[in-house]
Amino acid sequence: MKTYQDILNLTPTSAENLTAKDFRSAAEVRWCPGCGNYSIIAQLQKTLAEMNIPKEKIAIVSGIGCSSRFPYYMNNFAYHTIHGRAIPIASGLRLARPDLSVWVVTGDGDCLSIGGNHFIHACRRNMNLNILLFNNEIYSLTKGQQSPTSRVGLKTKSSPLGALDDPFEPTTLATGAGATFVARGTATDPKSLQHLMMEAHKHKGASFLEIYTNCLIFNDNALKDFSDKEIRKETTVWLEHGKPIVFGKDNDKGIMMDGARPKVVPLNTGKYSLNDVLVHNKRDSYMAFLLSNMSYDTTLPRPMGVILDLDNIETYLERTEAQLAKHYDHDADLMTLLAGSESWEVK
Amino acid sequence: MEKKQKTLDNLTIRFAGDSGDGMQLVGTQLSVLSGEYGNDVNTFPDYPAEVRAPEGTLYGVSAYQVHIGSKPITTMGDRIDLMIALNASSLKVNLSNLTENAIIIADINGFDEKNLTLAGYANNPLEDGSLAKYKLVSIDIREELTKALSDLNLMPKDILRSRNIFTLGVVCKLLDRKLDSSFDWLKRKFGQKAKVLEANTRALQCGYDYATNSPEFDTQFIVPPMDKPKGIYRNITGNEAVALGMVTASRLTKMPLFLGSYPITPATEILHFLAGFKKYGVRHLQAEDEIGGICSAIGAALGGNLAVTTTSGPGFSLKIEAMGFAVIAEIPLVIVNVQRAGPSTGIPTKSEQSDLFTAMYGRHGEAPMPILAAQSCADCYDLAIEASRIATKYMTPVILLTDGYLAQGTEPWRLPDIDKLPDLTKYFVTDPEGFQPYKRDEKTLARMFAIPGTPNLEHRIGGLEKQNNGSAVSSDGANHQVMVEIRQKKVDNIANDIPLLEVEGEQKGDILVLGWGSTYGAIKAATDKLRSEGKKVSTAHLRYMNPFPKNLGEILNNFERVLIPETNNGQLSVIIQGKFLKKVHKLNKLMGIPFKAYEIENKVLEMLNQGGK
C-alpha cells in the first residue's frame, strides 16, 4: 500500500520488448464477426508496443457505443465511461497525471453528437490526448439509427424515409475547433493506420485521428468507396508532407489549385506536370481547411493520412505545468493560506 | 460632545446604498474589526443579480448586514438596529426590517428629486415625518467630505467615493471602536495610491468626528467583547471555507487537489479561490460545461487525485448522470452543491435548501451516495474535509450541500491547528497478488484502488455492472442484486463512522426542533432564547443527511412532537416521515432568505400553546 507520491516514484516496468500480445486482455472480444474494429484494435496494440512507454503509463478512456467497448479488450488501465464523456474524463486524467499517455476511443455518435461540446473544447485547448474516432456513419450499439456523420437520405430505423440532416465532416470540425493534429485512416489499411497512430502519439497536444470502419450489420459498405483496397486508389489521396498531392492507380492524377479551389488534373496528358500540383504542407492550417473540405466535393478524392500536424503549439497541460512551476511551493505554509489577509488573535 | 453609553448584548447594523457605493467593503471591514474587538459576528451581503444595475433603482440596492454580539451569534440578525441609507431606494427596500426604535443614518444627497422618483417616493421621507418612529439622522455627507478633502484637488465624484468610509467612521464612533485597525486596513487596501489613501483616511476620521460632535448622536452602543477560545481568527464565507477545506484535505490525504468546475452563481467563488491556489499545487479545469466539470474531476480521481467539482442547482442536475457513474465505478469524488432557489434558473442569488431530494434520490438506478450538509460558514471547512475523508476511505462520491446563505455570509472562524487534524493518508494498491478492482475491504466495503502508473495492476472498469469481487463485466441478475446491496450497505455502514446526533435541551420530552444545514443559526438563536425563558423545547441538528446518525430514530422517538424548519417545501420532513414513520410538523420558508429566529420562536410558541399532539 503506497501513497500517491510513492506510486509516482515506483520504478516503471521495461518498455522494451513489448509486443501487441502484451496489450490484449483476457476478455473475449464481442464485436460482430467482420467488424472493422478488429483491425483497429490490432493496430493500436502493435502501436502501443512500439511506443517505448511502460505499459502502466498508458490509459485508455472510452464513452459508450460499439467502439467504446474497446477498453475491455485491452490489457491497460482502461475506463469505459459515459456516453459522450470520454474526452472530459480523459482530460481530467491527463491534467492530473502528466506522466501518462492517454488515448480516447470514441465513435461518430459518442464524439460528434452527445459529446460534441467536449470534443470541440478539447481541440481548442490543445488538450494532450490521442483521440481515435471510429467512424462508421451509424449508431450500431442501439441497432441502427442515423448518426451525425450519416449522409443525407440514408435510410435507417430512425430515418425510414431517409436522413434529413447534413453530416459533419469530422476533420473539418476538428480543424475548425483548433485541433493541432488531424488525420484520417481506414481500418482496411492496417499499415497506414499504425503509422497514423504513431504520428498521433508523437504529436504534442490534441491529436485527432478519424478512422473509417465498416458496420456490416447496419451500414454495410457505407465507406467502401474510400476503404476498399482497389477502389480507394482512385477515390482517395494519401498525403505526404512536402510532396505533391497525387493519386490514382499509376499516380496519374494530381490536385491543383484553381483560384481558391482545388481541382483534379491529369498528369499523363502532357498538359500538366508535377510542378503544377499542390504540395502538401502538414504544418499549414490553411491547407488543412482546404484538404478537410475536399470531402464535400464529390469530384475530388478524399484525403487520407496526416492532414494537419502543427508542431510546438503550447498545450493546456504545458500551460498548467508552467503556472505550477512558477507558483507551486511544496512547503507553502497552509496556515498562511487559511489566515487570509485579515486575521486577528485572541490571546 | 459627551455621550450616554448603552450596553447591549447584540446589535444589527446594515449598510445600504447603491451597487457602486461600496457597501460590501465597509460591511466586511466592520465585521473584521468587530471580530478583532472580541465580538461574535455573523454577516450577510445582499446585492443585486445585475452586474451593474441602473443607479438609484430599487433593484440596484446593495446592502451588507452585520450582526455583532457579546454572546454567541448564529444569525445575520432578525431586525436592523442601525441602518446606513445612502439613497432613497436603499431606505425603502430595507424599511420593513428595522426595529421599532432603529437609528437611520441617511445621506441627504441620495434623496434628491431623481433618487426619490426612482425609489417611488412622492415626498421626501427624510422630511415628511413618515420616519417619526425611528431615530433619523440626516447628514450632508458631500458637504462634510468636501470640507475635509478640499486641499486634495479631487474631482467632486471622487470625493463622493469616500461616502462609505465616512459612514464607517460614524458607526465606529457609535460603537465606541478605535480607528487604528481601520487605518491600517486602508493602508493595505490603498497603499499604492497615495491620494486615494489620504482621502479615505480623512473620510474615516471625518465620519468619526462628525458623530463625536453631532448632538444628534447622543448615545454610544457598547457591545462588549466576549470570551472566545484562544487562537487566530478570521472572518470566512462558506465558499472560501469549502476551498480551504479542500486544500487542507489534499494535504491530509496526500493527494493532489483537482477541481473541475463551471461558473454558476452562487458557487463560482469556490472556483475563483481554487483556481488561484497554484501555490498549493491545485490543478483545475474550467470546463466547457457542468458535465465536463464533473467528468474531468472523475478523470482526475481515476488518476489518484483528490477530485472535487463545485456547482449549484441547475449544474447539479446536469452532473447527475456522471454521479451515477462515480457510484458504480466506486471512485472517490467530492461534489459541492451550493443550493439556490429553483427550479430551473429560479432566483440565482437567493438561497434555498431545495436540493435535498435530488441529492438523496436524483440518480437513475439504485445509486446511494453519502450526503453532508454544512450548518454554518465555518462548518463548510470541516465538512469539505469530512467529505474528502469519506470519499477516499469508502471509495464513493460524496455530496456536500451548502447554500447561497452560507456561501456568501461570513462568521468568525478560529483557524484549526493543522498538526492536530487527523491523518487521512490515502493508500493505493501496489501488490498484484490477489488484486481485483472490485475486491473489497471487509470492514469498509471499499473496493481495491489501483491507479495508472502502478506496474502490473492494469485493469478495466467502467459504468457496466461488474462481477462481485472481480473485474469482469456481468449482466447476471443475481450478481446485480448482490452488487446493489453491497453498494447500499457500504454507504449505510458509514453511520458507524460518524458522530452521533446530539440533543440540546432535555433529552426526552414534548417538542424537538430538528434542523439540517444552514437553518442551524436561526434554530439555535430561537431555541436558546426559549429555553432561557424556561420553555421546554429541545433541538438537534443534522449535518449528515445520508446516512443519518445511528441514533436519529431513537431521538425522534424520545419526543412527542418534532418540528422541522426548512427553506424548502418540506423535503427532510418527507424523508423523516418515510424512513421513521414519525409524523412531523413542518415550517417551510421559500422566500430566498434564511429564517428569522423569531419565525421559529413563534412556531414553537404556537405549538406549545396548542399543547399535546
Side-chain angles (χ1 to χ4, degrees):
Chain A
M1 298 292 274
K2 305 271 189 192
T3 66
Y4 178 81
Q5 193 55 47
D6 294 338
I7 303 278
L8 295 191
N9 294 341
L10 289 173
T11 309
T13 56
S14 168
E16 285 171 31
N17 305 322
L18 285 170
T19 66
K21 209 174 148 210
D22 293 311
F23 292 91
R24 276 178 219 147
S25 80
E28 181 193 347
V29 184
R30 292 201 198 162
W31 288 314
C32 305
C35 176
N37 295 355
Y38 283 96
S39 166
I40 303 175
I41 198 166
Q43 308 328 316
L44 187 66
Q45 284 160 341
K46 285 178 197 162
T47 307
L48 296 183
E50 284 169 16
M51 281 180 356
N52 204 25
I53 288 181
K55 195 154 66 94
E56 70 274 12
K57 295 283 190 185
I58 299 167
I60 298 168
V61 183
S62 72
I64 295 295
C66 281
S67 58
S68 290
R69 292 298 185 99
F70 200 96
Y72 293 114
Y73 312 139
M74 298 292 293
N75 187 17
N76 284 93
F77 284 97
Y79 306 101
H80 176 229
T81 67
I82 318 169
H83 198 23
R85 317 302 171 206
I87 286 175
I89 290 175
S91 300
L93 177 59
R94 189 74 178 87
L95 290 176
R97 294 292 303 277
D99 57 321
L100 303 180
S101 169
V102 179
W103 295 73
V104 171
V105 173
T106 181
D108 37 312
D110 192 57
C111 183
L112 302 179
S113 222
I114 191 166
N117 197 30
H118 308 304
F119 172 64
I120 56 174
H121 287 275
C123 291
R124 94 174 154 87
R125 290 191 185 105
N126 204 18
M127 193 58 81
N128 308 52
L129 301 172
N130 303 310
I131 301 167
L132 307 181
L133 171 74
F134 293 27
N135 185 5
N136 58 9
E137 299 190 352
I138 194 85
Y139 282 90
S140 296
L141 195 63
T142 47
K143 314 273 186 283
Q145 297 79 26
Q146 63 165 100
S147 91
T149 53
S150 297
R151 294 169 214 186
V152 181
L154 183 72
K155 289 185 177 167
T156 69
K157 285 182 187 153
S158 64
S159 56
L161 305 179
L164 299 172
D165 41 352
D166 285 290
F168 271 134
E169 165 47 50
T171 60
T172 304
L173 183 65
T175 307
T180 53
F181 179 96
V182 179
R184 176 159 48 223
T186 168
T188 59
D189 186 357
K191 278 277 168 245
S192 302
L193 191 53
Q194 276 178 54
H195 166 75
L196 294 176
M197 287 170 169
M198 185 58 86
E199 291 298 301
H201 159 63
K202 286 180 190 159
H203 175 76
K204 184 183 86 177
S207 304
F208 174 65
L209 173 57
E210 180 192 12
I211 304 167
Y212 287 164
T213 178
N214 189 39
C215 175
L216 72 173
I217 308 297
F218 297 110
N219 205 14
D220 196 19
N221 292 326
L223 291 151
K224 188 181 176 186
D225 281 353
F226 313 109
S227 299
D228 180 89
K229 203 170 175 179
E230 284 310 309
I231 301 172
R232 73 179 184 231
K233 286 177 184 164
E234 294 296 324
T235 56
T236 67
V237 52
W238 179 255
L239 300 168
E240 286 190 77
H241 180 59
K243 295 200 174 156
I245 302 174
V246 296
F247 68 106
K249 273 196 184 79
D250 307 310
N251 281 339
D252 54 355
K253 295 189 259 304
I255 301 294
M256 196 182 111
M257 291 307 288
D258 179 11
R261 300 179 68 95
K263 70 170 182 183
V264 176
V265 292
L267 297 174
N268 53 4
T269 59
K271 192 176 175 191
Y272 300 99
S273 77
L274 275 179
N275 293 334
D276 299 311
V277 174
L278 192 62
V279 175
H280 180 44
N281 181 0
K282 69 178 182 182
R283 308 291 192 204
D284 182 353
S285 50
Y286 287 93
M287 178 161 278
F289 278 108
L290 184 103
L291 295 172
S292 65
N293 273 316
M294 282 168 60
S295 303
Y296 291 111
D297 187 339
T298 53
T299 68
L300 297 172
R302 185 133 327 171
M304 307 295 275
V306 179
I307 294 170
L308 179 68
D309 184 2
L310 298 176
D311 61 347
N312 244 348
I313 306 287
E314 266 191 341
T315 70
Y316 187 94
L317 181 59
E318 281 178 327
R319 289 174 184 169
T320 297
E321 293 295 315
Q323 282 191 353
L324 286 168
K326 191 171 170 196
H327 300 285
Y328 189 11
D329 172 5
H330 289 259
D331 304 317
D333 178 31
L334 192 55
M335 290 307 283
T336 310
L337 177 71
L338 300 189
S341 57
E342 306 284 336
S343 62
W344 64 90
E345 186 172 6
V346 174
K347 290 177 186 162
Chain B
M1 189 204 136
E2 201 62 19
K3 314 262 187 221
K4 286 178 283 184
Q5 290 201 331
K6 193 171 169 187
T7 301
L8 302 168
D9 69 3
N10 79 98
L11 189 75
T12 300
I13 305 112
R14 191 171 178 97
F15 291 93
D18 201 47
S19 289
D21 285 341
M23 297 293 89
Q24 309 300 317
L25 190 74
V26 284
T28 307
Q29 175 56 13
L30 178 62
S31 66
V32 171
L33 70 92
S34 299
E36 283 173 351
Y37 177 73
N39 290 135
D40 204 5
V41 186
N42 195 293
T43 76
F44 192 69
D46 189 0
Y47 47 81
E50 290 77 14
V51 175
R52 290 280 180 271
E55 217 172 305
T57 56
L58 292 167
Y59 56 89
V61 171
S62 171
Y64 196 98
Q65 187 159 321
V66 185
H67 186 196
I68 62 174
S70 56
K71 56 171 196 176
I73 293 294
T74 57
T75 72
M76 60 191 254
D78 283 3
R79 292 202 180 281
I80 304 159
D81 301 304
L82 170 59
M83 183 165 83
I84 313 302
L86 289 188
N87 69 9
S89 287
S90 65
L91 176 75
K92 191 168 196 182
V93 298
N94 288 302
L95 211 48
S96 63
N97 279 324
L98 295 180
T99 54
E100 292 259 314
N101 308 309
I103 298 172
I104 301 171
I105 301 170
D107 180 7
I108 60 166
N109 297 290
F111 289 80
D112 59 11
E113 205 167 310
K114 185 181 163 205
N115 273 294
L116 291 170
T117 308
L118 284 167
Y121 277 119
N123 302 307
N124 188 344
L126 304 184
E127 292 164 2
D128 67 0
S130 62
L131 302 175
K133 63 177 173 175
Y134 307 108
K135 164 84 180 157
L136 171 67
V137 181
S138 300
I139 310 178
D140 186 343
I141 300 181
R142 180 207 299 263
E143 191 183 299
E144 296 301 321
L145 286 176
T146 307
K147 274 188 283 180
L149 308 180
S150 58
D151 59 323
L152 291 180
N153 294 324
L154 291 166
M155 302 288 284
K157 71 171 175 17
D158 289 331
I159 289 175
L160 286 182
R161 283 189 189 195
S162 301
R163 284 201 303 166
N164 59 338
I165 304 293
F166 177 94
T167 63
L168 180 65
V170 172
V171 170
C172 283
K173 177 64 193 177
L174 296 186
L175 300 183
D176 196 26
R177 298 293 156 84
K178 292 197 169 67
L179 295 183
D180 305 1
S181 76
S182 294
F183 285 134
D184 291 344
W185 165 69
L186 288 173
K187 270 180 218 150
R188 286 196 298 278
K189 186 135 191 70
F190 299 116
Q192 310 287 339
K193 302 168 192 160
K195 214 169 184 178
V196 179
L197 173 61
E198 181 60 25
N200 282 300
T201 304
R202 287 194 203 176
L204 184 67
Q205 187 68 51
C206 180
Y208 190 88
D209 293 344
Y210 184 92
T212 306
N213 299 326
S214 165
E216 286 190 276
F217 293 116
D218 56 359
T219 309
Q220 283 183 302
F221 303 95
I222 309 300
V223 183
M226 60 181 282
D227 280 338
K228 297 195 88 168
K230 286 179 187 170
I232 308 283
Y233 285 79
R234 61 166 295 188
N235 281 320
I236 195 158
T237 66
N239 274 347
E240 187 167 7
V242 168
L244 296 180
M246 290 311 302
V247 175
T248 306
S250 163
R251 285 278 174 104
L252 299 175
T253 55
K254 300 193 174 72
M255 298 160 86
L257 183 61
F258 180 93
L259 168 72
S261 188
Y262 185 79
I264 185 166
T265 303
T268 316
E269 286 97 2
I270 307 175
L271 166 62
H272 296 176
F273 284 115
L274 288 174
F277 291 167
K278 285 282 179 285
K279 186 175 175 187
Y280 294 84
V282 180
R283 289 166 189 269
H284 85 286
L285 178 68
Q286 182 182 319
E288 53 278 8
D289 55 32
E290 294 280 358
I291 297 168
I294 187 172
C295 285
S296 59
I298 285 173
L302 290 169
N305 279 23
L306 179 62
V308 58
T309 186
T310 53
T311 191
S312 182
F316 192 61
S317 297
L318 284 165
K319 292 184 194 300
I320 279 174
E321 188 198 13
M323 284 185 224
F325 175 77
V327 168
I328 198 167
E330 300 187 51
I331 48 181
L333 175 69
V334 176
I335 299 127
V336 182
N337 177 14
V338 185
Q339 299 167 94
R340 70 186 214 191
S344 188
T345 310
I347 317 176
T349 55
K350 298 293 177 186
S351 190
E352 215 164 76
Q353 294 180 296
S354 47
D355 295 346
L356 182 59
F357 277 165
T358 314
M360 199 78 104
Y361 308 121
R363 294 160 294 282
H364 71 273
E366 296 288 346
M369 281 170 67
I371 303 164
L372 310 180
Q375 66 179 26
S376 67
C377 305
D379 195 36
C380 291
Y381 177 83
D382 294 339
L383 287 192
I385 297 173
E386 179 67 346
S388 305
R389 179 187 76 89
I390 292 172
T392 52
K393 180 172 176 181
Y394 293 90
M395 294 294 292
T396 176
V398 177
I399 295 170
L400 171 57
L401 295 176
T402 75
D403 58 36
Y405 173 44
L406 298 180
Q408 316 276 337
T410 73
E411 63 178 352
W413 170 53
R414 184 161 69 108
L415 269 54
D417 185 345
I418 298 293
D419 298 331
K420 288 188 182 146
L421 291 174
D423 177 15
L424 304 177
T425 307
K426 176 69 182 172
Y427 292 101
F428 300 92
V429 183
T430 49
D431 186 358
E433 185 66 36
F435 171 75
Q436 287 291 350
Y438 285 86
K439 216 158 125 182
R440 294 168 191 283
D441 179 271
E442 277 179 26
K443 192 155 165 267
T444 61
L445 297 178
R447 71 172 183 87
M448 294 180 113
F449 192 23
I451 57 174
T454 317
N456 305 312
L457 285 185
E458 290 85 356
H459 64 278
R460 294 135 295 277
I461 61 167
L464 288 169
E465 187 62 281
K466 301 300 176 310
Q467 185 61 44
N468 183 25
N469 278 318
S471 66
V473 170
S474 168
S475 303
D476 177 62
N479 177 70
H480 178 55
Q481 175 144 7
V482 167
M483 291 298 271
V484 167
E485 288 168 1
I486 287 174
R487 288 189 290 263
Q488 183 68 52
K489 196 173 164 200
K490 181 174 79 165
V491 172
D492 292 346
N493 280 356
I494 295 170
N496 296 316
D497 194 19
I498 60 174
L500 291 175
L501 186 62
E502 288 178 18
V503 175
E504 270 196 77
E506 292 180 25
Q507 301 298 301
K508 274 186 175 203
D510 180 13
I511 297 179
L512 174 75
V513 182
L514 179 68
W516 71 278
S518 70
T519 54
Y520 172 77
I523 294 174
K524 169 93 177 137
T527 52
D528 276 354
K529 177 163 180 275
L530 288 165
R531 280 192 290 268
S532 74
E533 292 163 357
K535 304 283 193 306
K536 296 247 182 290
V537 56
S538 301
T539 44
H541 205 80
L542 290 166
R543 298 157 74 229
Y544 293 85
M545 310 309 293
N546 193 37
F548 286 127
K550 276 195 298 188
N551 59 338
L552 174 58
E554 189 192 324
I555 288 172
L556 292 169
N557 285 330
N558 284 340
F559 291 87
E560 289 289 320
R561 293 179 292 174
V562 174
L563 170 67
I564 301 183
E566 304 176 75
T567 54
N568 61 36
N569 216 11
Q571 298 189 6
L572 180 63
S573 298
V574 170
I575 293 168
I576 293 286
Q577 292 184 139
K579 195 171 165 73
F580 298 99
L581 303 178
K582 172 98 182 178
K583 188 171 172 4
V584 304
H585 297 256
K586 303 199 301 178
L587 177 61
N588 305 113
K589 182 172 182 179
L590 287 144
M591 297 173 69
I593 48 174
F595 277 110
K596 310 274 189 194
Y598 70 76
E599 291 167 339
I600 289 162
E601 186 187 337
N602 288 346
K603 178 67 184 179
V604 174
L605 286 171
E606 181 193 313
M607 287 173 70
L608 285 168
N609 289 338
Q610 282 165 354
K613 287 183 181 174

